[in-house]
Amino acid sequence: MSNKTFTMIKPEAVAEGNSGAIIKLIEEAGFRIVAMKKTLLSAARAGQFYAVHKERPFYESLCKYMSSGPIIAIILEKGNAVADFRKLIGATDPSKAEDGTIRKLFAKSIEQNAVHGSDSDDNAALEGSFFFSQTEMY
Ligand code: CMP
């Protein structure tokens, strides 16, 4: 079990001014920010990030959405980080997310679901290194 995970605050949550509230919930849940940046993904780069989904019917729309405005990429640290963070954000589909979870509070739809959270330690490491070099992780 690793102690790091990776998240993105997605375009609609950034555009609506919810990034501060989301980061506050993340820190209050005991996660430490290791690295953070606001950036704009091209559709091609969003496609690389979500390459695992490229056969899915929602892939093209997802790439378009994820490049529609800036996102905030964050590496987080905490014991049991991957599982605890997925609990904090709730189900992918916000209509199925538990009360109090970040997606229940801020997501608009299954696509515009406010935040991403890595699903495994290996993917957390891969996704973190997609945005940050080792010297940017503190
Ligand atoms: P995320 O956890 O970042 O991982 C893949 C993303 O694809 C997901 O959040 C949603 O933004 C999107 N997604 C997953 N399932 C669907 C779906 N059924 N329809 C549209 N978008 C989806």
Side-chain angles (χ1 to χ4, degrees):
M1 177 180 82
S2 126
N3 60 352
K4 290 202 181 69
T5 192
F6 172 79
T7 185
M8 277 187 284
I9 303 178
K10 297 190 179 186
E12 94 283 7
V14 172
E16 291 177 10
N18 288 326
S19 49
I22 291 172
I23 291 166
K24 186 166 193 282
L25 287 172
I26 292 170
E27 288 190 310
E28 282 172 353
F31 291 86
R32 191 180 74 79
I33 294 171
V34 173
M36 178 162 73
K37 77 169 67 147
K38 185 177 185 183
T39 187
L40 181 63
L41 292 170
S42 64
R45 197 154 153 76
Q48 284 167 11
F49 183 87
Y50 281 116
V52 66
H53 295 304
K54 67 174 178 290
E55 306 304 332
R56 309 287 280 276
F58 57 80
Y59 178 70
E60 204 176 318
S61 171
L62 176 64
C63 295
K64 198 170 164 194
Y65 156 59
M66 287 301 297
S67 57
S68 67
I71 58 95
I72 298 175
I74 313 173
I75 297 176
L76 296 167
E77 183 178 65
K78 182 187 180 296
N80 201 35
V82 167
D84 285 3
F85 191 72
R86 286 173 75 80
K87 198 162 177 206
L88 177 67
I89 65 179
T92 303
D93 180 349
S95 69
K96 296 182 181 138
E98 280 183 44
D99 284 349
T101 59
I102 289 174
R103 283 172 171 158
K104 185 73 171 190
L105 289 165
F106 298 106
K108 299 271 175 266
S109 67
I110 191 164
E111 180 177 77
Q112 298 194 16
N113 63 356
V115 286
H116 168 77
S118 303
D119 63 3
S120 67
D121 289 348
D122 285 351
N123 282 338
L126 281 172
E127 291 170 1
S129 61
F130 187 88
F131 286 93
F132 301 100
S133 64
Q134 205 62 43
T135 54
E136 294 175 302
M137 300 179 197
Y138 300 102

